Amino acid sequence: MDSKANLPAETSTKSISGAEIVIRCLNEEKVKFVFGYPGGAVLHIYDAIYKQNGFKHILVRHEQAAVHAADAFSRATGEVGVALVTSGPGATNAITGIATAYMDSIPLVVISGQVPVPAIGMDAFQEVDMVGITRPCVKHNFLVKDVKDIASTMKKAFYIARTGRPGPVVVDIPKDITAHLTDFAYPKTVEMRSYSPVVKGHSGQIKKAVKMLLEAKRPMIYTGGGLVLGDGAEELIKLARALNYPVTNTLMGLGGFPATDKQFVGMLGMHGTYEANMAMQNCDVLLAVGARFDDRVIGNPAHFGGVKRTIIHIDVDPSSISKRVKVDVPIVGHVQSVLAEMNEILAQEKPQTNISDWWKQIGEWRLVHGGRYEQSSTIIKPQYVIEKLWEVTKGDAYVTSDVGQHQMWAAQYYKFDKPRRWINSGGLGTMGVGLPYAMGCQFADKNAQVACVTGEGSIQMNIQELSTCAQYHLPIKVILLNNRYLGMVRQWQEFFYEDRYSESYMDSLPDFVKLAESYGHIGMQITQPSDVEGALIEAFAKKDKFVFMDFITEQKENVFPMVENGKGLSEMELPKAKGAKQ
């Protein structure tokens, strides 16, 4: 990227090392936390960290967790997350976290150490081509070969990460460059001829979109993670209430519209509500905001396109528009700005929409499934745990999850009324994120209730972070829905592989209570439905303690509704009604 840095904010009176420049750059960006793990290639930087007090470094136990924690901190706050790793295996351990953030458009700056410049390409000890490896899963990356370029590169990295469609940026710095000396000057601004993201939407297209919305007979508002990341929830709520139109969120968009609001029809997609999927499939005018029509949301594109509808699509990333589904009114711009302009037009129009027949139809669809599940007095149902978690936390917790059935149940049964409270891996579907995500959220808000909903498979992928939680006294509550299976794998094997449960049963599980206690935490095992609520109340009453709750749940409970791969949104698999809870 061609660029020109303008007007230094500060110039040092004497030359300082590249490592010290890295620290000064982070302080200029007002970074609060850096999540990392030291190693040989970044020891100069760690020595500079020791001498500063501008930000707090958080020592994780694995580099993957460093990036995940920085990712969650960003999701919870809207700020750029920062991670620091060494070269070689430290850098490669960070790749999963970087790819996770890239898929979900999370702004990160990941600083990786590199072997000295003369050793690059010589198969030196702990050398990997970090720029080459990360190229497919970053918004941009840099290899700094001159100490004089560190400050301008860091400025560019933060600018690229947070603007336009956000994403992770890698800055790879050779060890010798962190030892070289130069004057420090941090640019106040940065301009890039090859990078100029659009912020304001086209006014003509916005007016056209409003006119189409007002003419709709069966309207639908569909929002994704871009609404949350673009801080557009307030404007979206204003728009939806002015029109009295139904709203659905994707998995990544939950909290963008209050789940307890009567206009909310639930999450849509593969495990979305019956009413959300049917309304999405049968609407005549669709407003898509910060969403990308991915495969887990609309199912088969041909089936989705079988119903004629007008589609309005608002997104900051022009490449996301008409990528999977052709749209009629594309609007490229920052969602908050575009929605604000739409609201200004609506205020002048004073809309008098009447879609009572459409709401009546949606009401009928709501009765088809309505979140029912078969209750039991002898075995814990995972859905029941999530319902009680919502009640005990009064719907005000940060909820992180790993990936699998537990993730879907958390999305379905915890009613998120606020944005940035539901923290999970959507695009990449990364097992192991739940605990480091909870760490990032707790650092984002030290007084918040933070619950990590996980499975016995996922939790073991980064369980070493129990040590980090102990070191920093993080009062996270782990909600383990323990069914002794890789639950979503088992569900697919039941549906599509004739009950051949190949390697999906979790054998030789640890005693999670003793494991938690070995790190100095509180461990609890809950086996009876009658004990669920009381255990949750007891755990969350321990405001300054980490509590690991092992809920022994129904082994073969399935997530419903379910849209099979290749099927359309309206072709949902539903549970049998026998013994269902209303």
Side-chain angles (χ1 to χ4, degrees):
M1 292 188 179
D2 297 327
S3 63
K4 179 178 69 176
N6 298 324
L7 301 175
E10 179 185 354
T11 301
S12 63
T13 56
K14 64 176 182 178
S15 293
I16 59 176
S17 72
E20 291 171 306
I21 290 173
V22 171
I23 303 309
R24 294 280 288 273
C25 292
L26 295 175
N27 286 327
E28 287 286 340
E29 291 290 342
K30 296 180 171 54
V31 170
K32 298 182 182 70
F33 295 97
V34 172
F35 301 87
Y37 200 94
V42 287
L43 284 184
H44 293 322
I45 297 176
Y46 271 91
D47 192 52
I49 288 174
Y50 184 85
K51 300 171 185 176
Q52 65 87 47
N53 57 9
F55 60 81
K56 185 173 179 61
H57 179 276
I58 306 302
L59 176 65
V60 297
R61 302 307 189 262
H62 191 284
E63 291 87 356
Q64 180 180 339
V67 184
H68 289 329
D71 172 343
F73 180 85
S74 176
R75 293 181 197 237
T77 64
E79 300 173 23
V80 178
V82 180
L84 172 60
V85 301
T86 193
S87 64
T92 57
N93 283 346
I95 300 300
T96 298
I98 293 168
T100 300
Y102 178 72
M103 288 290 283
D104 289 346
S105 305
I106 307 303
L108 296 183
V109 170
V110 179
I111 303 165
S112 57
Q114 184 54 273
V115 299
V117 172
I120 292 177
M122 305 300 290
D123 294 331
F125 176 67
Q126 292 193 331
E127 179 192 1
V128 296
D129 178 6
M130 188 60 167
V131 168
I133 289 172
T134 61
R135 188 170 286 120
C137 61
V138 291
K139 189 174 179 184
H140 196 59
N141 56 23
F142 299 91
L143 172 61
V144 183
K145 290 189 174 182
D146 189 326
V147 67
K148 295 177 182 178
D149 294 334
I150 290 177
S152 60
T153 300
M154 292 291 287
K155 183 70 177 182
K156 295 173 202 173
F158 277 88
Y159 176 67
I160 293 167
R162 67 164 61 99
T163 56
R165 179 177 178 171
V169 177
V170 167
V171 181
D172 198 35
I173 310 178
K175 184 173 183 178
D176 57 334
I177 301 304
T178 63
H180 293 172
L181 302 178
T182 191
D183 294 340
F184 172 71
Y186 198 64
K188 286 184 178 178
T189 60
V190 61
E191 295 175 2
M192 298 185 178
R193 290 192 298 272
S194 59
Y195 178 68
S196 182
V198 175
V199 175
K200 185 173 171 56
H202 189 281
S203 292
Q205 290 290 84
I206 293 172
K207 290 176 183 175
K208 184 178 179 182
V210 171
K211 182 176 184 294
M212 289 179 168
L213 283 170
L214 291 174
E215 293 172 350
K217 302 299 182 186
R218 303 187 311 280
M220 188 69 172
I221 300 174
Y222 148 60
T223 77
L227 176 75
V228 175
L229 296 175
D231 294 319
E234 186 176 332
E235 294 293 345
L236 186 279
I237 292 168
K238 185 177 178 181
L239 176 90
R241 287 180 177 158
L243 294 169
N244 189 35
Y245 286 177
V247 181
T248 184
N249 297 155
T250 66
L251 178 72
M252 294 304 301
L254 291 175
F257 189 82
T260 56
D261 193 288
K262 60 183 176 59
Q263 287 176 240
F264 187 61
V265 295
M267 180 179 73
L268 82 162
M270 176 173 278
H271 294 295
T273 68
Y274 187 86
E275 56 269 27
N277 285 352
M278 292 299 288
M280 182 76 168
Q281 181 66 21
N282 292 285
C283 66
D284 65 347
V285 176
L286 176 64
L287 172 62
V289 184
R292 55 193 181 91
F293 294 92
D294 70 272
D295 57 304
R296 289 296 177 100
V297 168
I298 65 164
N300 187 328
H303 181 275
F304 183 71
V307 175
K308 184 174 175 56
R309 65 177 72 77
T310 299
I311 301 177
I312 304 157
H313 192 179
I314 305 168
D315 205 290
V316 74
D317 179 10
S319 71
S320 290
I321 296 179
S322 291
K323 188 174 184 177
R324 295 194 78 239
V325 171
K326 188 177 185 303
V327 306
D328 302 284
V329 185
I331 303 174
V332 178
H334 195 280
V335 293
Q336 185 186 64
S337 169
V338 173
L339 290 171
E341 191 168 339
M342 294 178 81
N343 280 322
E344 289 173 7
I345 297 170
L346 282 173
Q348 297 169 2
E349 294 281 344
K350 296 180 180 177
Q352 299 291 323
T353 57
N354 183 359
I355 55 166
S356 57
D357 289 345
W358 180 232
W359 273 117
K360 181 181 178 182
Q361 174 63 80
I362 291 171
E364 292 173 0
W365 284 329
R366 275 178 162 151
L367 297 175
V368 174
H369 179 244
R372 292 187 299 273
Y373 60 92
E374 186 178 342
Q375 190 54 280
S376 170
S377 60
T378 58
I379 188 73
I380 296 173
K381 294 290 183 171
Q383 302 95 319
Y384 179 69
V385 177
I386 303 301
E387 287 180 333
K388 289 302 174 183
L389 175 65
W390 178 74
E391 291 176 11
V392 168
T393 60
K394 297 179 171 57
D396 199 36
Y398 287 87
V399 178
T400 75
S401 86
D402 278 293
V403 172
Q405 287 181 315
H406 59 271
Q407 176 190 26
M408 295 300 109
W409 284 316
Q412 290 175 332
Y413 292 94
Y414 197 99
K415 301 179 180 68
F416 295 94
D417 280 345
K418 299 176 184 177
R420 299 190 181 276
R421 293 302 182 94
W422 168 234
I423 314 294
N424 79 121
S425 168
L428 195 65
T430 307
M431 292 174 69
V433 298
L435 186 54
Y437 270 6
M439 289 159 37
C441 289
Q442 198 73 77
F443 282 113
D445 187 344
K446 64 180 182 180
N447 297 316
Q449 299 179 105
V450 178
C452 168
V453 177
T454 187
E456 73 286 349
S458 288
I459 191 64
Q460 293 187 87
M461 290 194 171
N462 269 313
I463 203 161
Q464 75 285 337
E465 298 310 311
L466 288 174
S467 178
T468 306
C469 294
Q471 179 175 343
Y472 297 100
H473 308 289
L474 303 180
I476 293 163
K477 309 300 184 279
V478 172
I479 315 298
L480 173 60
L481 302 181
N482 187 347
N483 61 10
R484 288 81 71 206
Y485 273 106
L486 297 177
M488 193 61 80
V489 173
R490 187 213 56 76
Q491 180 168 334
W492 281 48
Q493 288 173 338
E494 176 187 334
F495 283 23
F496 311 124
Y497 297 90
E498 299 177 338
D499 296 338
R500 292 187 296 275
Y501 300 132
S502 177
E503 305 302 325
S504 56
Y505 181 72
M506 294 297 288
D507 219 344
S508 302
L509 289 175
D511 183 327
F512 288 108
V513 171
K514 289 182 179 178
L515 183 60
E517 290 174 347
S518 73
Y519 282 97
H521 302 309
I522 296 171
M524 302 169 64
Q525 187 179 80
I526 303 92
T527 61
Q528 296 299 316
S530 57
D531 295 332
V532 169
E533 184 173 11
L536 286 166
I537 291 171
E538 179 184 348
F540 280 93
K542 301 180 187 300
K543 297 185 182 298
D544 61 343
K545 300 292 185 182
F546 184 108
V547 183
F548 194 115
M549 309 183 73
D550 182 14
F551 290 92
I552 307 302
T553 64
E554 170 68 59
Q555 279 201 277
K556 294 190 177 181
E557 189 74 7
N558 289 323
V559 181
F560 292 109
M562 179 176 179
V563 178
E564 295 180 16
N565 276 348
K567 293 290 185 70
L569 266 184
S570 58
E571 300 176 311
M572 286 166 276
E573 181 84 16
L574 297 174
K576 297 177 182 178
K578 181 181 179 181
K581 174 193 171 188
Q582 298 294 323

